[in-house]
Amino acid sequence: IPDPKVSIDGYEYKSGKGYNIVQYSRSVYIPIKPFLSLAGYYIAEGHVPQNGSCAFVLTQSDGQILDNMLSVINECGLSSSVHKDPRKPHIKNIFISGGIAFREYIKNEFGDNSHKKRIPRWILALEPSYLRIIYQSMWEGDGTIAGGSRAYYTVSSELSNNVQELLIKCGVPSSITHYILNRKNYYKVRELQKKTIGLSPHSRSWIEYSGLV
């Protein structure tokens, strides 16, 4: 059975001097697995520019992750162009096409800046095998190894909660730590090697539970 595709429907809009020209943005259909990988990269390393014709931009330094991004874009059937950052030549900006409908879809579903990034509910409702795909791409962009455990960093409170929910659904215990650095809020979601949180007398532990939360 082939994997399903994500469908982004086009829409009608008017242009021209008197807005009397009716045009249609094109629809986009992307296989779900590469789409989830691309979405993960967007959440971690992407933004939607205020001006320009591209759908969104991914930023990454030279290396394997950049190669992974370009491979996923190709699997999605999207066209792109790579440009060097004039200030830092080893940093590349990948401009990804897809049309107006795709651009608006990305903004509405995943957020248009780092503080508003999120994982939409329909993705969080998918099977764990799909959730692992998007999280792997996210972790490649904003993750690290901290104290022998994988950790994910974000400035979005909503996204930190989304990541913990995703990990729970994948059977991975985790903790969220909020801290302030240079007057900015940051959130670290750490995968726990042991099924306990912290070492203080006030530590919380995991218990067996079934039912609604």
Side-chain angles (χ1 to χ4, degrees):
I1 300 175
D3 287 316
K5 291 187 177 183
V6 176
S7 174
I8 298 101
D9 295 330
Y11 60 90
E12 177 185 302
Y13 66 98
K14 293 183 179 181
S15 64
K17 188 175 182 180
Y19 294 98
N20 57 352
I21 301 174
V22 177
Q23 294 184 305
Y24 299 89
S25 64
R26 66 188 181 93
S27 298
V28 179
Y29 305 95
I30 303 174
I32 192 167
K33 287 183 178 179
F35 174 83
L36 291 172
S37 290
L38 183 62
Y41 287 133
Y42 171 77
I43 290 172
E45 303 289 2
H47 73 277
V48 176
Q50 294 183 347
N51 301 308
S53 58
C54 71
F56 60 92
V57 179
L58 298 179
T59 302
Q60 184 59 233
S61 58
D62 290 327
Q64 186 59 54
I65 296 175
L66 178 67
D67 293 341
N68 293 347
M69 288 177 172
L70 293 171
S71 177
V72 163
I73 293 167
N74 184 60
E75 288 181 58
C76 288
L78 299 170
S79 59
S80 64
S81 58
V82 181
H83 303 270
K84 293 181 180 179
D85 185 323
R87 299 164 299 178
K88 300 177 181 178
H90 68 287
I91 301 294
K92 302 298 189 296
N93 292 309
I94 310 173
F95 290 78
I96 300 167
S97 66
I100 297 174
F102 188 40
R103 176 192 179 103
E104 293 303 309
Y105 179 88
I106 292 296
K107 286 171 58 177
N108 294 335
E109 291 291 304
F110 302 99
D112 59 355
N113 66 62
S114 58
H115 293 86
K116 295 180 180 179
K117 291 289 180 66
R118 59 187 175 271
I119 303 173
R121 298 308 312 175
W122 71 266
I123 289 181
L124 289 171
L126 295 174
E127 295 293 325
S129 60
Y130 289 117
L131 297 179
R132 293 186 188 99
I133 293 173
I134 187 171
Y135 183 61
Q136 178 59 32
S137 296
M138 291 170 60
W139 188 82
E140 287 181 13
D142 283 336
T144 188
I145 300 293
S149 299
R150 298 212 314 175
Y152 184 81
Y153 291 83
T154 178
V155 296
S156 168
S157 174
E158 182 177 4
L159 181 58
S160 69
N161 290 325
N162 293 157
V163 170
Q164 186 171 55
E165 179 180 342
L166 179 153
L167 290 172
I168 289 172
K169 290 179 174 179
C170 291
V172 179
S174 64
S175 65
I176 298 177
T177 301
H178 167 246
Y179 61 97
I180 298 175
L181 181 64
N182 298 326
R183 299 183 180 181
K184 293 182 180 180
N185 290 300
Y186 290 86
Y187 303 87
K188 178 178 76 172
V189 186
R190 184 170 68 92
E191 299 179 28
L192 301 178
Q193 294 180 329
K194 298 180 179 179
K195 295 185 178 182
T196 56
I197 301 174
L199 298 174
S200 72
H202 303 289
S203 297
R204 292 165 290 172
S205 62
W206 290 80
I207 62 172
E208 295 294 331
Y209 177 81
S210 64
L212 295 175
V213 177

